[in-house]
């Protein structure tokens, strides 16, 4: 397993124009004025996975998160019931453009956190990480779950 991962990493680094290497299910990239950052992500793309989210998770590694993927753009809101760690929530539209960031959601709080209308992707990361990295509205996400034909930052060689 480790050898396979090492070989894949090496191929991604040395193969020219390895467009698909830049996008994988377990990695989300963001770009903005700060540059580019990468997060290891778990995907929540079914009603059951989205409902559970990061509930009962006692800690999350740095530069990791959960990407919530909806079938279509819609109005979304979250809450922190049964969520044990503070989270930043990054709400993006169907193109992967960040529309809103809610920082440091309070663990175990039942208050609704609205993401707005027209949201299709939500990235949850450790609380305070968005400010630390300089993430802001207007930044772009890149991930294969984002429909590539309309993605602000597609998984292709630019």
């Amino acid at each position: 397993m480790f050898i396979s991962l090492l070989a894949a990493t090496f191929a991604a680094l040395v193969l020219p124009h390895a467009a698909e290497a830049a996008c994988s299910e377990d990695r989300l990239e963001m770009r903005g004025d700060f540059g580019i950052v990468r997060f290891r992500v778990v995907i929540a793309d079914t009603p059951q996975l989205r409902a559970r989210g990061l509930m009962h998770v006692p800690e999350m590694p740095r530069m990791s998160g959960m990407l919530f993927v909806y079938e279509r753009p819609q109005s979304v809101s979250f809450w922190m019931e049964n969520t044990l760690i503070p989270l930043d929530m990054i709400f993006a539209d169907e193109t992967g453009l960040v529309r809103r960031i809610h920082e440091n959601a309070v663990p175990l709080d039942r208050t609704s956190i609205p993401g707005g209308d027209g949201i299709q992707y939500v990235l949850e990361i450790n609380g305070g990480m968005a400010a630390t990295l300089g993430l802001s509205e207007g930044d772009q996400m890149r991930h294969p779950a984002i429909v590539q034909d309309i993605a602000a930052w597609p998984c292709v060689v630019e």
Side-chain angles (χ1 to χ4, degrees):
M1 174 81 171
F2 178 75
I3 299 298
S4 297
L5 180 60
L6 185 60
T9 302
F10 178 75
L13 292 174
V14 299
L15 291 178
H17 306 294
E20 292 307 312
C23 283
S24 65
E25 282 294 315
D26 68 342
R27 186 174 51 237
L28 178 137
E29 295 178 307
M30 291 191 67
R31 73 176 177 186
D33 292 340
F34 54 86
I36 296 174
V37 294
R38 292 170 185 85
F39 296 96
R40 287 276 178 208
V41 293
V42 173
I43 306 299
D45 59 358
T46 66
Q48 297 80 12
L49 291 173
R50 289 190 298 261
R52 180 172 172 101
L54 290 169
M55 289 183 182
H56 309 290
V57 174
E59 63 183 21
M60 186 165 52
R62 189 174 198 276
M63 303 308 289
S64 295
M66 178 170 275
L67 179 62
F68 294 77
V69 177
Y70 294 89
E71 292 78 17
R72 65 188 189 312
Q74 58 193 279
S75 178
V76 300
S77 64
F78 282 59
W79 67 352
M80 296 289 288
E81 183 173 1
N82 298 318
T83 305
L84 307 175
I85 55 176
L87 296 171
D88 289 348
M89 298 174 188
I90 302 165
F91 299 91
D93 67 14
E94 70 276 6
T95 70
L97 187 69
V98 175
R99 296 295 184 183
R100 181 172 189 273
I101 297 176
H102 179 89
E103 295 186 44
N104 286 305
V106 178
L108 306 173
D109 189 0
R110 299 180 88 189
T111 304
S112 179
I113 300 167
D117 295 327
I119 301 300
Q120 192 164 354
Y121 309 99
V122 182
L123 175 63
E124 289 186 339
I125 57 177
N126 283 306
M129 188 61 65
T132 297
L133 296 171
L135 305 181
S136 62
E137 292 178 8
D139 292 347
Q140 299 171 340
M141 293 181 178
R142 177 161 69 177
H143 188 272
I146 299 170
V147 176
Q148 297 301 293
D149 291 344
I150 62 169
W153 187 22
C155 294
V156 295
V157 176
E158 298 175 344

